[in-house]
Amino acid sequence: MPHISKRATCSLALAIGAFGLGSGIAHAQQVFTSDVIVQGSLCVGVDCATSESFGFDTLVLKENNLRMFFNDTSSSGSFPQNDWRLVANESDNGGANLFAVEDATAGRQPFIVEAGARANALVVSDNDRIGVGLADPVLNVHVRDGNSPALRLDQDGSDGFASQAWDLAGNETNFFVRDVTNASKLPFKIFPDADTNSLVVTDREIGINIQDPAETLHVRDTDGTTQLYIQDTGGSGPQQLLRLENDGAVQLYMNNTSKASAQWMFSAGQNMLLVPGTSPGSAVFDLSNTGNLAIDGTLTQSSDKNRKMAIEPVDPQEILAKVSSIPVAEWTYKHDAETGIRHIGPMAQDFYAAFGTGATETGISALDGTGVALAAIQALSAENAALRARLDVLEANLGAQ
């Protein structure tokens, strides 16, 4: 048999209802085997009046429990067979006032409009745009509200995954992402009037104030305030605030773009190097992981009298006597055992016991060592001058004989 269209089925059902009503007296069902045309308005339902006022309405359904059923009787597997229903209000006492499209076959209502919904609650424009709260959407989806229009993404756990809800929202203060499930925290914000390219994420790079970041993280600005600020206010004491790791030497490059000879690089491998440029072989500062330091140049320690206090003179003779009593030995640092590098000098403990200078008894400040040497030299110079004077007197006496 030919497949009868849903439109024809609906027209036939309406006509049957109309002729069955008559003047309100029950009539036997009438069957029409051809098309039925009603040139006027049609009222269907037990509460239709004999002098119904239609106004501009062409079709009126009038009774309680209003429903319009689309019963698709297709039996061939090649044709769709699902049944649908238009529902006006719930039928239970105290039920909701609504209009719904019901999947009658599945017993579900995928589309519901509640009574009291505001004007333009949902608008599909003729340019394929959807408006929520407005009649003239200007983008594919346009949401308008008087206070923080938002979109909620709600994973309800129905597929076995943990429940989690997120909000995307914006207002006069900021645009934000809200973690609804976890105390409505706001982990992401964008403030109004943020600059173009404030945050750019490309394939493998992140740019701040730059459209085409050249490195994994590229920060740029032009107002003289660019800086990287890492702060921990938890009061947890000393901790690593910046951690750099590599399978080779970790290098930190600094470039003064206004001067061709103002580039420096820190290179941290087995040794910590300070390089004027980019070649580790040009290092001018070399600190080994055992504490040995080599520099290409002089070492200047601060000795400004304006930065000192409690200044007291020393007795050079006393210093010389202490120097004479301090053991001086030749030795090798334990960490230099493989190289066998030798040194000559006193033990720090002996030096500290003799002079009491420095921050610890396990080290000798180069400045203290220099001061002790100078005082001892002064004492030797005084002794040498005294001996020279006595020798001059002796020579003069011998010459007079």
Side-chain angles (χ1 to χ4, degrees):
M1 62 178 291
H3 181 72
I4 301 176
S5 71
K6 298 178 183 178
R7 179 179 177 182
T9 303
C10 182
S11 298
L12 183 58
L14 292 176
I16 292 172
F19 280 87
L21 284 173
S23 62
I25 303 174
H27 292 272
Q29 292 183 346
Q30 299 184 52
V31 177
F32 296 85
T33 59
S34 61
D35 292 344
V36 176
I37 298 174
V38 178
Q39 294 184 338
S41 296
L42 179 65
C43 181
V44 178
V46 297
D47 293 324
C48 288
T50 57
S51 58
E52 191 70 41
S53 176
F54 288 95
F56 291 104
D57 296 326
T58 303
L59 174 64
V60 176
L61 305 182
K62 191 172 182 181
E63 64 180 43
N64 59 353
N65 299 324
L66 292 170
R67 304 289 187 270
M68 182 179 290
F69 185 49
F70 299 85
N71 186 0
D72 193 320
T73 59
S74 300
S75 58
S76 172
S78 62
F79 290 100
Q81 304 174 15
N82 204 80
D83 298 332
W84 297 89
R85 179 178 288 112
L86 298 182
V87 178
N89 302 324
E90 293 182 341
S91 59
D92 297 334
N93 185 21
N97 293 297
L98 54 78
F99 173 78
V101 175
E102 182 175 280
D103 181 346
T105 300
R108 293 192 294 261
Q109 294 180 344
F111 180 80
I112 297 175
V113 179
E114 292 184 350
R118 65 173 175 167
N120 303 317
L122 178 65
V123 173
V124 180
S125 68
D126 58 2
N127 53 3
D128 300 327
R129 295 170 180 171
I130 297 175
V132 178
L134 73 163
D136 51 348
V138 299
L139 292 176
N140 299 93
V141 178
H142 188 163
V143 181
R144 176 182 291 171
D145 195 31
N147 183 12
S148 302
L151 173 66
R152 174 156 295 187
L153 308 177
D154 193 352
Q155 180 171 287
D156 61 7
S158 58
D159 284 346
F161 300 101
S163 299
Q164 175 66 45
W166 298 91
D167 286 350
L168 299 178
N171 52 37
E172 78 287 356
T173 302
N174 55 202
F175 167 81
F176 56 89
V177 175
R178 178 166 49 211
D179 184 352
V180 180
T181 302
N182 295 287
S184 292
K185 297 176 183 176
L186 304 177
F188 181 80
K189 294 182 179 181
I190 299 176
F191 291 92
D193 200 32
D195 288 341
T196 300
N197 300 322
S198 289
L199 178 65
V200 175
V201 180
T202 66
D203 181 29
R204 297 177 62 88
E205 291 83 26
I206 296 175
I208 298 178
N209 291 325
I210 183 169
Q211 180 175 343
D212 50 350
E215 303 295 343
T216 306
L217 175 61
H218 190 164
V219 181
R220 183 181 68 177
D221 214 335
T222 58
D223 61 0
T225 63
T226 306
Q227 59 179 295
L228 182 63
Y229 185 17
I230 301 176
Q231 182 181 27
D232 189 305
T233 60
S236 56
Q239 59 180 312
Q240 296 180 14
L241 291 182
L242 180 63
R243 186 182 183 94
L244 305 177
E245 292 187 0
N246 187 32
D247 58 359
V250 176
Q251 297 177 338
L252 178 62
Y253 181 64
M254 294 163 287
N255 182 17
N256 182 347
T257 57
S258 66
K259 295 184 178 180
S261 59
Q263 293 81 42
W264 287 91
M265 181 177 72
F266 277 111
S267 179
Q270 186 171 1
N271 290 25
M272 171 67 78
L273 306 178
L274 182 57
V275 184
T278 59
S279 174
S282 303
V284 295
F285 178 101
D286 187 340
L287 177 63
S288 73
N289 59 6
T290 57
N292 295 325
L293 174 63
I295 62 174
D296 289 359
T298 60
L299 175 64
T300 301
Q301 295 176 277
S302 174
S303 192
D304 183 2
K305 68 178 181 179
N306 296 310
R307 301 183 63 183
K308 300 176 182 179
M309 59 178 289
I311 300 173
E312 300 177 2
V314 298
D315 183 351
Q317 292 296 332
E318 182 181 350
I319 296 294
L320 179 59
K322 291 181 179 180
V323 168
S324 299
S325 64
I326 292 179
V328 178
E330 182 179 346
W331 41 268
T332 297
Y333 281 116
K334 290 181 179 179
H335 60 252
D336 288 332
E338 293 184 2
T339 62
I341 297 175
R342 304 292 287 171
H343 301 277
I344 294 176
M347 303 298 122
Q349 289 83 352
D350 295 332
F351 191 90
Y352 188 83
F355 302 105
T357 59
T360 175
E361 64 174 10
T362 59
I364 301 175
S365 165
L367 192 61
D368 291 335
T370 300
V372 167
L374 288 174
I377 290 171
Q378 287 180 348
L380 290 175
S381 177
E383 291 182 1
N384 185 60
L387 290 174
R388 174 61 64 183
R390 289 176 59 188
L391 182 59
D392 290 343
V393 171
L394 180 59
E395 289 177 347
N397 290 337
L398 291 175
Q401 294 180 355

